[in-house]
């Protein structure tokens, strides 16, 4: 049986559905959301009003301790029920194969695992931020998540420097 790739099943209505879902969303939760936000903005999508990055959340909760912050390592540390399915795509990436040419079933399984893992990390972080000794970190977390969109803008458009000043 032939397992179609994303490229074979591409449909323009998927873009409209994504735009609609983003427009209806109150927020967006991603791990390393700067990457996703920049891609969405570059493609002409509007972002939900609230952005939360689980990578930033993990960084803030680490309180200066050096640790691996990838989605995979964060999920392992937080003992999430779902785990990133890197094994489904790593060999293909090494061979130069992009998501658009991978078997659709693998891409879907990989994507679902990422979404579930990220959601579980978010819920785990919310429990940690609710602890009394982490209450002061909430302002830092909110500021960093807000600042994220400004950083996206800088990376996408550059920064003008007044050389005369």
């Amino acid at each position: 049986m032939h397992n179609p790739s994303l490229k074979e099943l591409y449909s323009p209505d998927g873009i409209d559905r994504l735009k609609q879902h983003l427009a209806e969303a109150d927020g967006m939760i991603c791990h390393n959301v700067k990457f996703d936000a920049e891609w969405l903005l570059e493609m002409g999508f509007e972002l939900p009003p609230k952005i939360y990055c689980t990578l930033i959340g993990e960084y803030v909760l680490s309180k200066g301790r050096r640790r691996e912050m990838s989605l995979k390592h964060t999920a392992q540390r937080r003992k999430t029920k779902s785990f990133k399915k890197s094994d489904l795509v790593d060999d293909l990436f090494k061979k130069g194969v992009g998501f658009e040419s991978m078997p659709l079933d693998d891409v879907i399984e990989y994507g679902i695992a990422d979404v579930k893992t990220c959601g579980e990390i978010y819920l785990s972080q919310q429990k940690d931020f609710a602890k009394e000794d982490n209450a002061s970190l909430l302002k830092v977390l909110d500021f960093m998540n807000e600042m994220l969109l400004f950083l996206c803008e800088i990376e996408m458009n550059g920064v003008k420097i007044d050389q005369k000043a």
Side-chain angles (χ1 to χ4, degrees), residues 28-33 36 52-55 71-72 74-75 78 80-84 110-126:
M28 183 169 81
I29 300 168
C30 299
H31 196 82
N32 192 12
V33 75
D36 300 295
Y52 183 94
C53 181
T54 55
L55 183 125
L71 180 64
K72 180 180 178 179
T74 301
R78 292 194 165 272
T80 62
K81 293 177 186 173
S82 302
F83 288 101
K84 185 170 177 63
Y110 176 87
I112 289 171
D114 268 15
V115 169
K116 286 181 178 180
T117 301
C118 193
E120 291 171 19
I121 290 169
Y122 170 80
L123 294 173
S124 175
Q125 288 177 352
Q126 294 309 295

Side-chain angles (χ1 to χ4, degrees), residues 7-147:
K7 193 175 199 175
E8 293 171 302
L9 292 178
Y10 173 77
S11 65
D13 71 321
I15 293 171
D16 292 335
R17 285 191 313 192
L18 179 56
K19 283 183 178 182
Q20 180 182 348
H21 288 302
L22 286 170
E24 294 171 355
D26 295 329
M28 183 169 81
I29 300 168
C30 299
H31 196 82
N32 192 12
V33 75
K34 187 172 72 65
F35 173 83
D36 300 295
E38 282 184 17
W39 185 88
L40 289 166
L41 290 168
E42 286 287 352
M43 298 304 293
F45 292 92
E46 289 188 36
L47 299 179
K50 184 87 171 159
I51 304 291
Y52 183 94
C53 181
T54 55
L55 183 125
I56 290 174
E58 201 65 14
Y59 176 80
V60 171
L61 286 166
S62 292
K63 300 176 182 175
R65 288 177 296 213
R66 289 190 176 257
R67 52 172 61 167
E68 182 62 52
M69 297 287 177
S70 69
L71 180 64
K72 180 180 178 179
H73 287 96
T74 301
Q76 289 170 343
R77 187 171 43 256
R78 292 194 165 272
K79 298 176 177 63
T80 62
K81 293 177 186 173
S82 302
F83 288 101
K84 185 170 177 63
K85 301 273 186 164
S86 299
D87 57 309
L88 292 170
V89 298
D90 280 351
D91 287 340
L92 292 170
F93 277 141
K94 288 176 187 171
K95 294 176 186 175
V97 177
F99 279 120
E100 72 283 351
S101 299
M102 293 180 187
L104 184 59
D105 291 344
D106 290 349
V107 174
I108 290 171
E109 186 177 349
Y110 176 87
I112 289 171
D114 268 15
V115 169
K116 286 181 178 180
T117 301
C118 193
E120 291 171 19
I121 290 169
Y122 170 80
L123 294 173
S124 175
Q125 288 177 352
Q126 294 309 295
K127 288 179 185 176
D128 285 349
F129 280 115
K131 294 177 183 175
E132 188 176 331
D133 59 330
N134 291 331
S136 64
L137 299 176
L138 284 172
K139 288 181 183 177
V140 174
L141 176 71
D142 289 343
F143 177 74
M144 288 180 76
N145 277 309
E146 288 175 21
M147 185 70 170

